[in-house]
Amino acid sequence: MTAVLVFLGAMVGAPLRYLIDRAVLSRHDGVFPWGTFLVNLTGCLVLGGLTGAALGTPALALLGTGFCGALTTYSTFGYETVRLAEERSYLYAALNVVVSVVSGLGATLLAYTTVQALCA
């Protein structure tokens, strides 16, 4: 049952990631990977909120592992960072790492503490 829930969540998360990335890329024509940054930040925010809500295993499998796992793409984040470095855009590569990691952790912590406070 858990595998089915993960699969169902991923069926929504993966296409949503693609659509968000395409929408962002159509509006920004720079070297910084804004689409990947936005989906990863959104995934961190949602996963932090889900964790703060202390949902049961089935809901976490569907929304956390399935949806957030397919929505976020840290492999693409790594690929795009290496690509930026290979293109000698060292500042953007460093910014991609620092901004993505710090904002992802911050979004997770913010969502977790906010949901915890609301549920208390």
Side-chain angles (χ1 to χ4, degrees):
M1 184 63 179
T2 301
V4 172
L5 292 172
V6 170
F7 180 77
L8 291 174
M11 285 180 54
V12 177
L16 185 59
R17 173 182 59 182
Y18 177 78
L19 292 173
I20 290 172
D21 187 49
R22 294 291 110 190
V24 170
L25 287 177
S26 70
R27 290 174 177 76
H28 292 281
D29 189 26
V31 294
F32 191 82
W34 287 108
T36 302
F37 172 75
L38 183 61
V39 294
N40 286 341
L41 185 63
T42 303
C44 288
L45 193 66
V46 172
L47 191 57
L50 293 171
T51 306
L55 299 176
T57 301
L60 279 178
L62 175 71
L63 300 172
T65 307
F67 177 74
C68 290
L71 177 66
T72 58
T73 176
Y74 279 90
S75 59
T76 302
F77 158 73
Y79 167 77
E80 290 172 340
T81 301
V82 170
R83 182 183 47 82
L84 287 169
E86 288 176 344
E87 294 173 355
R88 299 180 188 267
S89 297
Y90 299 117
L91 177 62
Y92 285 112
L95 281 173
N96 193 32
V97 171
V98 172
V99 171
S100 293
V101 171
V102 170
S103 62
L105 289 172
T108 303
L109 183 61
L110 176 68
Y112 177 84
T113 55
T114 301
V115 171
Q116 281 273 301
L118 292 174
C119 292

